[in-house]
């Protein structure tokens, strides 16, 4: 069963039909990613209700920003971290300062979200040849053009014989560098991790990036494509 964020949202909102809900709950038993998304969604609903009852001005925005950042970067501990932050703000009615790390640039966060959801930009399917990664044991499974976080991109999806997935994005515009990114290869390339997803962007002008769960596979693909 693919990771469907729309279905996760419907489950949290208790809008799934009974049969589909039972099937999704069986999926949750074996899928850590979806279980984490449901945990985050449930905690968000609880915090929203608490905030509506007695919340200092601006609390909703600060907690939402923290939840969004933690969701991308730390996955499973998210609910506890957000709950602790909200409790600190609400305690005694005092307004506390929450240190929220910078969220990843929109296109980078969208790339990780699409990868988790087994999706590509939904505009136009491509017939043009994709980069050939057969030497790395990767076969092309799809290619599309569209928008990624408001940025026009072309996306190429690959899979190896073990089911590991990899996506290569190219764009005419440079991909923005996240504040948490680490230099990779010494030529201006960088790598960042959003939960279990690794993102490696090629050296300047930073117009190609590789996304996957296997960091070594991501690195090998970037080297093969002469991005580092």
């Amino acid at each position: 069963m693919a990771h469907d964020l729309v279905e996760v949202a419907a489950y949290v909102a208790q809008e799934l039909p009974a049969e589909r809900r039972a099937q999704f709950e069986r999926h949750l038993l074996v899928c850590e990613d979806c279980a984490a998304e449901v945990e985050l969604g449930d905690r968000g609903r609880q915090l929203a209700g608490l905030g509506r009852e007695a919340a200092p001005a601006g609390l909703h925005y600060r907690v939402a920003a923290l939840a969004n950042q933690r969701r991308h970067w730390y996955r499973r501990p998210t609910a506890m971290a957000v709950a602790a932050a909200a409790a600190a703000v609400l305690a005694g009615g005092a307004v506390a300062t929450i240190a929220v790390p910078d969220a990843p640039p929109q296109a980078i966060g969208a790339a990780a979200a699409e990868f988790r959801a087994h999706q590509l930009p939904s505009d136009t399917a491509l017939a043009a040849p994709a980069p050939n990664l057969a030497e790395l044991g990767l076969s092309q499974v799809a290619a599309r053009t569209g928008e990624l976080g408001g940025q026009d991109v072309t996306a190429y999806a690959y899979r190896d014989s073990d089911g590991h997935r990899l996506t290569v994005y190219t764009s005419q515009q440079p991909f923005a560098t996240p504040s948490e990114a680490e230099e990779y290869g010494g030529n201006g390339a960088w790598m960042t991790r959003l939960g279990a997803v690794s993102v490696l962007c090629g050296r300047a002008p930073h117009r190609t990036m590789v996304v996957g769960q296997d960091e070594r596979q991501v690195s090998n693909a970037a080297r093969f494509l002469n991005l580092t």
Side-chain angles (χ1 to χ4, degrees), residues 1-226:
M1 178 177 179
H3 306 292
D4 188 336
L5 298 183
V6 174
E7 189 161 46
V8 170
Y11 178 79
V12 171
Q14 301 180 355
E15 294 176 353
L16 282 180
E19 181 178 348
R20 190 60 181 156
R21 181 180 182 86
Q23 182 181 2
F24 186 74
E25 287 175 342
R26 289 194 294 271
H27 173 69
L28 289 177
L29 295 176
V30 296
C31 180
E32 182 178 350
D33 281 350
C34 284
E37 296 289 351
V38 168
E39 181 182 31
L40 174 67
D42 284 338
R43 179 60 63 183
R45 291 183 66 194
Q46 295 171 19
L47 290 174
L50 180 62
R52 282 193 295 269
E53 292 175 7
L59 171 66
H60 302 87
Y61 299 104
R62 303 208 305 277
V63 171
L66 180 62
N68 182 61
Q69 162 62 7
R70 296 290 185 181
R71 175 176 177 271
H72 286 303
W73 291 89
Y74 297 110
R75 305 295 294 169
R76 181 63 73 174
T78 296
M80 294 178 62
V82 174
V89 174
L90 290 172
V95 178
T97 299
I98 301 177
V100 180
D102 292 339
Q106 191 171 1
I108 309 305
E114 285 195 346
F115 186 87
R116 294 188 192 103
H118 294 244
Q119 295 177 346
L120 290 177
S122 57
D123 190 358
T124 306
L126 284 180
N132 187 347
L133 301 182
E135 288 188 30
L136 302 180
L138 290 160
S139 301
Q140 182 191 349
V141 295
R144 301 189 74 88
T145 61
E147 286 193 357
L148 184 71
Q151 184 169 339
D152 291 335
V153 299
T154 299
Y156 304 99
Y158 301 84
R159 189 184 298 270
D160 67 13
S161 58
D162 294 323
H164 298 132
R165 296 179 296 117
L166 188 99
T167 305
V168 177
Y169 289 96
T170 64
S171 177
Q172 294 300 311
Q173 300 172 270
F175 292 106
T177 303
S179 60
E180 301 286 340
E182 302 170 1
E183 186 178 355
Y184 189 89
N187 292 312
W190 53 259
M191 175 179 280
T192 191
R193 299 163 189 83
L194 287 83
V197 180
S198 295
V199 180
L200 194 158
C201 191
R203 56 177 177 261
H206 299 141
R207 292 177 181 167
T208 303
M209 68 179 177
V210 184
V211 182
Q213 283 185 295
D214 186 324
E215 187 171 314
R216 178 176 294 181
Q217 191 174 63
V218 169
S219 299
N220 288 342
R223 282 196 295 270
F224 184 82
L225 295 171
N226 197 30

